[in-house]
mmCIF file of all heavy atoms in Angstrom:
data_model
loop_
_atom_site.group_PDB
_atom_site.id
_atom_site.type_symbol
_atom_site.label_atom_id
_atom_site.label_comp_id
_atom_site.label_asym_id
_atom_site.label_seq_id
_atom_site.Cartn_x
_atom_site.Cartn_y
_atom_site.Cartn_z
ATOM 1 N N ASN F 83 -62.601 -21.235 -195.576
ATOM 2 C CA ASN F 83 -63.521 -20.177 -195.199
ATOM 3 C C ASN F 83 -64.079 -19.506 -196.446
ATOM 4 O O ASN F 83 -63.531 -19.642 -197.540
ATOM 5 C CB ASN F 83 -62.816 -19.142 -194.324
ATOM 6 C CG ASN F 83 -62.275 -19.719 -193.035
ATOM 7 O OD1 ASN F 83 -62.858 -20.650 -192.460
ATOM 8 N ND2 ASN F 83 -61.168 -19.185 -192.565
ATOM 9 N N SER F 84 -65.151 -18.752 -196.262
ATOM 10 C CA SER F 84 -65.775 -18.009 -197.366
ATOM 11 C C SER F 84 -65.981 -18.898 -198.579
ATOM 12 O O SER F 84 -65.630 -18.532 -199.710
ATOM 13 C CB SER F 84 -64.905 -16.791 -197.735
ATOM 14 O OG SER F 84 -64.709 -15.948 -196.628
ATOM 15 N N LEU F 85 -66.549 -20.049 -198.341
ATOM 16 C CA LEU F 85 -66.703 -21.031 -199.411
ATOM 17 C C LEU F 85 -67.657 -20.528 -200.493
ATOM 18 O O LEU F 85 -68.640 -19.823 -200.211
ATOM 19 C CB LEU F 85 -67.181 -22.364 -198.844
ATOM 20 C CG LEU F 85 -66.076 -23.175 -198.167
ATOM 21 C CD1 LEU F 85 -66.651 -24.212 -197.228
ATOM 22 C CD2 LEU F 85 -65.191 -23.833 -199.211
ATOM 23 N N LYS F 86 -67.345 -20.929 -201.729
ATOM 24 C CA LYS F 86 -68.121 -20.536 -202.895
ATOM 25 C C LYS F 86 -68.643 -21.780 -203.597
ATOM 26 O O LYS F 86 -68.041 -22.851 -203.468
ATOM 27 C CB LYS F 86 -67.235 -19.750 -203.862
ATOM 28 C CG LYS F 86 -66.556 -18.540 -203.263
ATOM 29 C CD LYS F 86 -65.614 -17.901 -204.279
ATOM 30 C CE LYS F 86 -64.912 -16.680 -203.696
ATOM 31 N NZ LYS F 86 -64.003 -16.047 -204.691
ATOM 32 N N PRO F 87 -69.703 -21.670 -204.359
ATOM 33 C CA PRO F 87 -70.202 -22.840 -205.099
ATOM 34 C C PRO F 87 -69.123 -23.482 -205.971
ATOM 35 O O PRO F 87 -69.110 -24.710 -206.125
ATOM 36 C CB PRO F 87 -71.331 -22.250 -205.944
ATOM 37 C CG PRO F 87 -71.842 -21.114 -205.126
ATOM 38 C CD PRO F 87 -70.609 -20.523 -204.489
ATOM 39 N N GLU F 88 -68.214 -22.691 -206.504
ATOM 40 C CA GLU F 88 -67.167 -23.251 -207.356
ATOM 41 C C GLU F 88 -66.109 -24.027 -206.575
ATOM 42 O O GLU F 88 -65.215 -24.623 -207.177
ATOM 43 C CB GLU F 88 -66.487 -22.149 -208.187
ATOM 44 C CG GLU F 88 -66.019 -20.951 -207.394
ATOM 45 C CD GLU F 88 -67.018 -19.809 -207.410
ATOM 46 O OE1 GLU F 88 -68.239 -20.068 -207.277
ATOM 47 O OE2 GLU F 88 -66.567 -18.645 -207.552
ATOM 48 N N ASP F 89 -66.204 -24.023 -205.248
ATOM 49 C CA ASP F 89 -65.321 -24.870 -204.442
ATOM 50 C C ASP F 89 -65.858 -26.293 -204.329
ATOM 51 O O ASP F 89 -65.189 -27.167 -203.767
ATOM 52 C CB ASP F 89 -65.157 -24.289 -203.035
ATOM 53 C CG ASP F 89 -64.451 -22.954 -203.026
ATOM 54 O OD1 ASP F 89 -63.461 -22.800 -203.771
ATOM 55 O OD2 ASP F 89 -64.885 -22.058 -202.275
ATOM 56 N N THR F 90 -67.046 -26.535 -204.821
ATOM 57 C CA THR F 90 -67.637 -27.867 -204.775
ATOM 58 C C THR F 90 -66.767 -28.858 -205.531
ATOM 59 O O THR F 90 -66.446 -28.652 -206.711
ATOM 60 C CB THR F 90 -69.054 -27.844 -205.367
ATOM 61 O OG1 THR F 90 -69.896 -27.031 -204.547
ATOM 62 C CG2 THR F 90 -69.628 -29.252 -205.459
ATOM 63 N N ALA F 91 -66.366 -29.936 -204.848
ATOM 64 C CA ALA F 91 -65.465 -30.925 -205.438
ATOM 65 C C ALA F 91 -65.231 -32.045 -204.425
ATOM 66 O O ALA F 91 -65.609 -31.929 -203.262
ATOM 67 C CB ALA F 91 -64.128 -30.288 -205.814
ATOM 68 N N VAL F 92 -64.594 -33.091 -204.889
ATOM 69 C CA VAL F 92 -64.039 -34.098 -203.991
ATOM 70 C C VAL F 92 -62.619 -33.655 -203.655
ATOM 71 O O VAL F 92 -61.815 -33.398 -204.559
ATOM 72 C CB VAL F 92 -64.036 -35.495 -204.619
ATOM 73 C CG1 VAL F 92 -63.345 -36.498 -203.692
ATOM 74 C CG2 VAL F 92 -65.461 -35.946 -204.926
ATOM 75 N N TYR F 93 -62.333 -33.588 -202.375
ATOM 76 C CA TYR F 93 -61.030 -33.134 -201.896
ATOM 77 C C TYR F 93 -60.217 -34.338 -201.403
ATOM 78 O O TYR F 93 -60.716 -35.179 -200.644
ATOM 79 C CB TYR F 93 -61.187 -32.119 -200.779
ATOM 80 C CG TYR F 93 -61.620 -30.758 -201.269
ATOM 81 C CD1 TYR F 93 -62.917 -30.542 -201.739
ATOM 82 C CD2 TYR F 93 -60.737 -29.675 -201.278
ATOM 83 C CE1 TYR F 93 -63.318 -29.306 -202.210
ATOM 84 C CE2 TYR F 93 -61.126 -28.433 -201.736
ATOM 85 C CZ TYR F 93 -62.409 -28.252 -202.203
ATOM 86 O OH TYR F 93 -62.808 -27.012 -202.661
ATOM 87 N N ASP F 94 -58.976 -34.384 -201.835
ATOM 88 C CA ASP F 94 -58.047 -35.446 -201.446
ATOM 89 C C ASP F 94 -56.756 -34.812 -200.949
ATOM 90 O O ASP F 94 -56.373 -33.739 -201.396
ATOM 91 C CB ASP F 94 -57.668 -36.325 -202.653
ATOM 92 C CG ASP F 94 -58.827 -37.134 -203.186
ATOM 93 O OD1 ASP F 94 -59.081 -38.231 -202.642
ATOM 94 O OD2 ASP F 94 -59.461 -36.675 -204.144
ATOM 95 N N CYS F 95 -56.059 -35.537 -200.103
ATOM 96 C CA CYS F 95 -54.694 -35.141 -199.787
ATOM 97 C C CYS F 95 -53.743 -36.163 -200.398
ATOM 98 O O CYS F 95 -54.127 -37.289 -200.741
ATOM 99 C CB CYS F 95 -54.468 -35.046 -198.287
ATOM 100 S SG CYS F 95 -54.406 -36.632 -197.445
ATOM 101 N N ASN F 96 -52.509 -35.751 -200.577
ATOM 102 C CA ASN F 96 -51.466 -36.637 -201.105
ATOM 103 C C ASN F 96 -50.147 -35.940 -200.899
ATOM 104 O O ASN F 96 -50.085 -34.811 -200.391
ATOM 105 C CB ASN F 96 -51.717 -36.931 -202.584
ATOM 106 C CG ASN F 96 -51.172 -38.275 -203.015
ATOM 107 O OD1 ASN F 96 -49.964 -38.499 -202.982
ATOM 108 N ND2 ASN F 96 -52.046 -39.186 -203.396
ATOM 109 N N GLY F 97 -49.093 -36.599 -201.287
ATOM 110 C CA GLY F 97 -47.812 -35.945 -201.244
ATOM 111 C C GLY F 97 -47.739 -34.829 -202.269
ATOM 112 O O GLY F 97 -48.570 -34.701 -203.161
ATOM 113 N N ARG F 98 -46.734 -34.008 -202.121
ATOM 114 C CA ARG F 98 -46.515 -32.926 -203.067
ATOM 115 C C ARG F 98 -45.069 -33.008 -203.527
ATOM 116 O O ARG F 98 -44.171 -32.611 -202.776
ATOM 117 C CB ARG F 98 -46.812 -31.563 -202.448
ATOM 118 C CG ARG F 98 -46.478 -30.389 -203.363
ATOM 119 C CD ARG F 98 -47.447 -30.311 -204.523
ATOM 120 N NE ARG F 98 -47.140 -29.177 -205.398
ATOM 121 C CZ ARG F 98 -46.892 -29.272 -206.678
ATOM 122 N NH1 ARG F 98 -46.915 -30.443 -207.273
ATOM 123 N NH2 ARG F 98 -46.614 -28.192 -207.380
ATOM 124 N N PRO F 99 -44.757 -33.510 -204.742
ATOM 125 C CA PRO F 99 -45.737 -33.958 -205.713
ATOM 126 C C PRO F 99 -46.471 -35.224 -205.289
ATOM 127 O O PRO F 99 -46.044 -35.897 -204.342
ATOM 128 C CB PRO F 99 -44.888 -34.211 -206.962
ATOM 129 C CG PRO F 99 -43.549 -34.550 -206.430
ATOM 130 C CD PRO F 99 -43.381 -33.681 -205.219
ATOM 131 N N ALA F 100 -47.570 -35.512 -205.944
ATOM 132 C CA ALA F 100 -48.391 -36.655 -205.573
ATOM 133 C C ALA F 100 -47.625 -37.953 -205.797
ATOM 134 O O ALA F 100 -46.806 -38.083 -206.714
ATOM 135 C CB ALA F 100 -49.681 -36.660 -206.383
ATOM 136 N N TRP F 101 -47.903 -38.927 -204.944
ATOM 137 C CA TRP F 101 -47.316 -40.252 -205.066
ATOM 138 C C TRP F 101 -48.088 -41.047 -206.113
ATOM 139 O O TRP F 101 -48.894 -40.503 -206.826
ATOM 140 C CB TRP F 101 -47.347 -40.929 -203.695
ATOM 141 C CG TRP F 101 -46.592 -40.157 -202.670
ATOM 142 C CD1 TRP F 101 -45.306 -39.678 -202.776
ATOM 143 C CD2 TRP F 101 -47.040 -39.747 -201.377
ATOM 144 N NE1 TRP F 101 -44.960 -39.003 -201.638
ATOM 145 C CE2 TRP F 101 -45.990 -39.026 -200.758
ATOM 146 C CE3 TRP F 101 -48.229 -39.923 -200.674
ATOM 147 C CZ2 TRP F 101 -46.091 -38.494 -199.472
ATOM 148 C CZ3 TRP F 101 -48.336 -39.396 -199.404
ATOM 149 C CH2 TRP F 101 -47.280 -38.691 -198.814
ATOM 150 N N GLY F 102 -47.825 -42.317 -206.208
ATOM 151 C CA GLY F 102 -48.405 -43.127 -207.262
ATOM 152 C C GLY F 102 -49.916 -43.196 -207.221
ATOM 153 O O GLY F 102 -50.561 -42.835 -206.230
ATOM 154 N N SER F 103 -50.490 -43.688 -208.307
ATOM 155 C CA SER F 103 -51.944 -43.704 -208.449
ATOM 156 C C SER F 103 -52.604 -44.513 -207.354
ATOM 157 O O SER F 103 -53.750 -44.241 -206.987
ATOM 158 C CB SER F 103 -52.323 -44.264 -209.820
ATOM 159 O OG SER F 103 -51.812 -45.578 -209.982
ATOM 160 N N GLY F 104 -51.918 -45.485 -206.791
ATOM 161 C CA GLY F 104 -52.503 -46.299 -205.741
ATOM 162 C C GLY F 104 -52.503 -45.664 -204.371
ATOM 163 O O GLY F 104 -52.994 -46.254 -203.409
ATOM 164 N N SER F 105 -51.963 -44.441 -204.268
ATOM 165 C CA SER F 105 -51.834 -43.815 -202.970
ATOM 166 C C SER F 105 -53.044 -42.961 -202.585
ATOM 167 O O SER F 105 -53.170 -42.552 -201.436
ATOM 168 C CB SER F 105 -50.577 -42.934 -202.941
ATOM 169 O OG SER F 105 -50.713 -41.849 -203.850
ATOM 170 N N TRP F 106 -53.928 -42.692 -203.524
ATOM 171 C CA TRP F 106 -55.051 -41.808 -203.232
ATOM 172 C C TRP F 106 -56.046 -42.482 -202.290
ATOM 173 O O TRP F 106 -56.342 -43.667 -202.427
ATOM 174 C CB TRP F 106 -55.759 -41.398 -204.531
ATOM 175 C CG TRP F 106 -54.890 -40.586 -205.424
ATOM 176 C CD1 TRP F 106 -54.135 -41.026 -206.476
ATOM 177 C CD2 TRP F 106 -54.648 -39.177 -205.316
ATOM 178 N NE1 TRP F 106 -53.451 -39.974 -207.035
ATOM 179 C CE2 TRP F 106 -53.732 -38.836 -206.350
ATOM 180 C CE3 TRP F 106 -55.096 -38.174 -204.462
ATOM 181 C CZ2 TRP F 106 -53.278 -37.516 -206.542
ATOM 182 C CZ3 TRP F 106 -54.642 -36.881 -204.662
ATOM 183 C CH2 TRP F 106 -53.752 -36.556 -205.679
ATOM 184 N N GLY F 107 -56.548 -41.697 -201.342
ATOM 185 C CA GLY F 107 -57.582 -42.175 -200.435
ATOM 186 C C GLY F 107 -58.952 -42.072 -201.073
ATOM 187 O O GLY F 107 -59.074 -41.871 -202.287
ATOM 188 N N GLN F 108 -59.977 -42.137 -200.238
ATOM 189 C CA GLN F 108 -61.340 -42.108 -200.765
ATOM 190 C C GLN F 108 -61.810 -40.687 -201.033
ATOM 191 O O GLN F 108 -62.786 -40.479 -201.734
ATOM 192 C CB GLN F 108 -62.301 -42.814 -199.798
ATOM 193 C CG GLN F 108 -62.803 -41.959 -198.646
ATOM 194 C CD GLN F 108 -61.771 -41.684 -197.571
ATOM 195 O OE1 GLN F 108 -60.660 -42.236 -197.604
ATOM 196 N NE2 GLN F 108 -62.122 -40.849 -196.603
#
Side-chain angles (χ1 to χ4, degrees):
N83 299 327
S84 303
L85 282 160
K86 304 175 180 181
E88 51 264 42
D89 295 318
T90 295
V92 175
Y93 285 71
D94 293 275
C95 72
N96 208 296
R98 175 71 179 123
W101 301 309
S103 59
S105 65
W106 296 96
Q108 83 287 354

